[in-house]
Amino acid sequence: MTAPAQPKFAADAMLARLARWLRVLGWDTTLQPGLDDTTLVRQANEEGRILLTRDRGLLRDLRPDRFVEVHHDGPLEQLRQVVRELNPEPPHELFTRCTVCNTELSPPLSDAERAARLPPDVRELPGPARACPGCGRLYWRGSHAKRMRTALAHCLTDWLPREVL
């Protein structure tokens, strides 16, 4: 299966951690744990999304248009599987989408916005800070982002360009 340059995904409830990692890569990934399988497949088909699931019964009975049957338990192994199977173009930048609500993040905050919105102990950290217009979360290059970048570097060694990390 060939994926578009910027794939769009619908993850089933079992794959919430994978959905977050896909969002870190900047990919539009819906996750609606309360949806029944029929509605999930219908929405994925209508929105042109690739359904991500571990549920063989769902795949057998509902036959989504596009899907990846995820085989691994760990979210980084799952991420590696999705990237290998679909072979999408790597992102030009990480952390451009909210990992919680999937909304595209704001452009980098200005110095004045950083001073007003970020906690005092992180205002001087290098790199952009962004806000989520959907849920209001703030993102900056702190230790958590550094650990995530390191995990991605190990997980997607030959795929993710060094300049993105």
Side-chain angles (χ1 to χ4, degrees):
M1 175 187 312
T2 302
Q6 289 296 316
K8 293 182 354 178
F9 299 101
D12 74 11
M14 292 184 282
L15 299 173
R17 292 171 60 202
L18 171 60
R20 284 183 179 229
W21 281 107
L22 292 165
R23 291 170 180 171
V24 167
L25 292 175
W27 293 333
D28 182 351
T29 306
T30 59
L31 175 70
Q32 299 174 29
L35 286 185
D36 63 87
D37 291 348
T38 302
T39 304
L40 174 64
V41 170
R42 181 180 47 74
Q43 284 184 358
N45 290 344
E46 288 173 357
E47 296 174 11
R49 294 180 181 278
I50 300 166
L51 180 65
L52 304 171
T53 186
R54 297 187 70 182
D55 186 341
R56 290 182 180 164
L58 178 153
L59 295 174
R60 180 191 64 240
D61 297 339
L62 300 176
R63 301 176 187 242
D65 293 343
R66 300 174 69 206
F67 65 89
V68 172
E69 180 183 351
V70 176
H71 301 290
H72 301 283
D73 292 328
L76 290 172
E77 293 170 328
Q78 294 168 346
L79 179 63
R80 186 180 308 118
Q81 177 194 345
V82 170
V83 168
R84 284 185 178 158
E85 284 191 28
L86 299 177
N87 195 29
E89 290 182 25
H92 299 291
E93 186 178 4
L94 301 177
F95 300 103
T96 59
R97 188 170 287 278
C98 182
T99 60
V100 176
C101 75
N102 194 42
T103 303
E104 284 189 55
L105 298 179
S106 71
L109 300 176
S110 68
D111 290 343
E113 289 174 306
R114 282 178 76 99
R117 297 184 69 182
L118 292 181
D121 58 328
V122 300
R123 289 181 188 146
E124 300 304 318
L125 288 176
R130 298 174 186 265
C132 176
C135 68
R137 290 188 186 284
L138 297 172
Y139 291 82
W140 60 86
R141 286 193 180 179
S143 58
H144 184 67
K146 183 178 181 179
R147 285 190 302 275
M148 293 177 83
R149 288 173 187 279
T150 300
L152 286 172
H154 292 297
C155 172
L156 302 172
T157 306
D158 297 328
W159 178 77
L160 201 56
R162 276 273 180 236
E163 60 270 13
V164 171
L165 296 171

